Amino acid sequence: MTDATRAEVCVIACAEAFRGDGEILASAFGTIPAIGVRLARATFAPDLLLTDGEAQLMRGTWAVDAPADGVVEGWSPFRRIFDLVWHGKRHAMMIPVQIDRYGNTNISALGDHARPKVQLIGVRGAPGNTVTHPVSYWVPKHAPRAFVPRVDLVSGVGHDSAAAAGTGARRYHDLRRVVTNLAVFDFAPEGGAMRLRSVHPGVTVDEVRAATGFPLVIEGEVPETRLPTEEELRLIRDVLDPRGRRDEEVPA
Amino acid sequence: MTGKQMSAREVVGRLRSGMTIGIGGWAVRRKPMALVREILRSDLTDLTIVSYGGPDVGLLCAAGKVRKLVFGFVTLDSVPLDPHFRAARQRGEIEVAEYDEGMLQWGLYAAGLRLPFLPTRAGLGSSVSSGNPELRTVADPYGSGDELIAMPAIPLDAALVHMNRADVHGNAQFLGPDPYFDDLFCLAAEQAFVSCERIVPTAELTAQAHPATLVLKRLVVDGVVEAPGGAHFTSCVPDYDVDTQALHDYAASAASPEAWAEFRREYLSGGAEHARDAEARTA
């Protein structure tokens, strides 16, 4: 067990974000979250619904870089996904380019929106996701340029923004976890600021502080992120990611 | 019942500079590229484009056709960011109205239902609302206390979509995994034009496929264009997949004016013949 790599610890941390979710659509972006969510379903969260990346809901357990292999259990083209998004039975793990202290995230553009210094992909579904169903985030490179004091524009709604926007925004606002290559965070119930929950083995709290561009809530002794079990390691290495794509996202 | 078959050139002849044009498909999936190429060859300009954006948006931006983009994202999927769209944005050349992708659906749906708006939570608390002074909220009239965004209708002057099959009357069919929002684009439009891989007799549409695949009804379609390979270089599953080489050549063509000229020569100037070549290559 002690030979688990950093990428494998990140897989576990992402999987843990979906523990206890029950029968909902789990949507994970990025390689390690995709491995994590499949691991969760194959072990402690068997009721999760997953798509094949297109329009089918699929049962089964298949490699992250291979076509979906399993039993089709439903049809979910984009508009039906939007129905589930707004209905609330979904938990998405998204990849922000910027994230701030209160969980506001940006994937749209850097700089002035009228003439961005760097145009990114656009807000996509982040505004709707964050005010209608649980959302977590995955940041493969934890650094001050990602963990900023204030995002340039708000794609995903953080706690302060939701509070300011009224009950319409707050009613179903539910930010869960932030998992990075260094640590795991949630948000303090009082004030909604980002809170350090665990550091990955080999990472110090000071390293996390130094890589974060805003003050973190840190309560007492910070535990280490749990390691994968033997069975989880076998699933990751032999079934879910036999070609080691996880190491491309988080190098050892 | 009259036939509505026309050429891509005739479709573009029905468009005018300054129009608001919705483009169907999703990112690099089932974009009406034959019709987009025809716009590139035309003198149309000053367009407002509404799209779940892929290379349709980047190409029109690079060609200087776009005044304003109404969008939720622009991506090439395996290439996450479209360099032509980025360049236009970073030079400040185009105006944008940026929405959550579900809000875009809501705006098209509202227009299709002839409603001024539809309420939603999406956008609340985000820069979508704070960055768009035209966006308004409405109070729940039934007393929950929630203020919701009134997503305004997005009426279109014209919609352009690409389907797998159609008949000459405008009944059109998707055979791939997802209809995307093509029917809503057509419903929201004054005039809707569908290109397709093959025009077939009406009876053939349901000979093998369930009638539920007929997502476009002729009463919302004004013109039908037979354009084999007409989504190239985006995908039109199951007829063909994305042309990865062309996609990467497209992305690389933003590097310099010379590269862009080369790309145009290679992929955009061939017209229908080129589309057929493309179909052969992707078959």
Side-chain angles (χ1 to χ4, degrees), chain A residues 22-105:
Chain A
E23 206 164 27
I24 55 120
L25 177 66
S27 299
F29 299 89
T31 302
I32 283 176
I35 300 169
V37 80
R38 288 173 208 191
L39 181 73
R41 184 166 72 171
T43 55
F44 55 77
D47 294 335
L48 295 177
L49 279 75
L50 302 181
T51 76
D52 62 352
E54 289 288 331
Q56 295 184 129
L57 296 169
M58 302 281 289
R59 289 181 195 265
T61 305
W62 60 90
V64 73
D65 57 349
D69 181 17
V71 175
V72 176
E73 64 170 329
W75 185 51
S76 257
F78 286 112
R79 71 181 65 187
R80 300 282 171 81
I81 297 279
F82 291 177
D83 289 348
L84 287 177
V85 167
W86 291 6
H87 176 68
K89 281 209 171 61
R90 182 179 188 241
H91 180 177
M93 181 171 267
M94 305 175 71
I95 306 176
V97 173
Q98 296 178 319
I99 185 166
D100 69 22
R101 187 179 185 189
Y102 296 101
N104 297 289
T105 56

Side-chain angles (χ1 to χ4, degrees), chain B residues 202-271:
Chain B
T202 306
E204 207 176 295
L205 293 168
T206 50
Q208 306 283 331
H210 193 280
T213 56
L214 291 166
V215 288
L216 296 188
K217 291 142 189 70
R218 59 187 166 81
L219 54 81
V220 295
V221 173
D222 296 90
V224 183
V225 178
E226 185 167 57
H232 179 263
F233 47 91
T234 68
S235 66
C236 189
V237 176
D239 293 307
Y240 48 90
D241 210 335
V242 176
D243 181 342
T244 310
Q245 181 62 51
L247 183 70
H248 284 92
D249 289 351
Y250 164 74
S253 72
S256 68
E258 295 74 28
W260 169 234
E262 169 64 20
F263 178 82
R264 292 180 64 139
R265 194 187 58 70
E266 169 75 11
Y267 289 103
L268 303 181
S269 60

Side-chain angles (χ1 to χ4, degrees), chain A residues 153-231:
Chain A
L153 71 91
V154 177
S155 305
V157 179
H159 286 109
D160 54 345
S161 304
T167 54
R170 279 202 305 277
R171 197 174 293 283
Y172 303 108
H173 186 257
D174 186 4
L175 298 187
R176 295 275 177 91
R177 298 277 175 91
V178 180
V179 179
T180 80
N181 61 321
L182 300 181
V184 179
F185 308 83
D186 64 2
F187 296 89
E190 285 286 308
M194 206 181 293
R195 176 169 70 173
L196 183 60
R197 292 311 302 264
S198 69
V199 290
H200 301 336
V203 178
T204 67
V205 171
D206 281 345
E207 269 176 81
V208 175
R209 266 203 200 96
T212 306
F214 51 81
L216 287 164
V217 176
I218 300 176
E219 295 164 347
E221 278 294 299
V222 178
E224 279 197 349
T225 310
R226 85 163 171 91
L227 292 168
T229 65
E230 295 287 359
E231 173 60 7

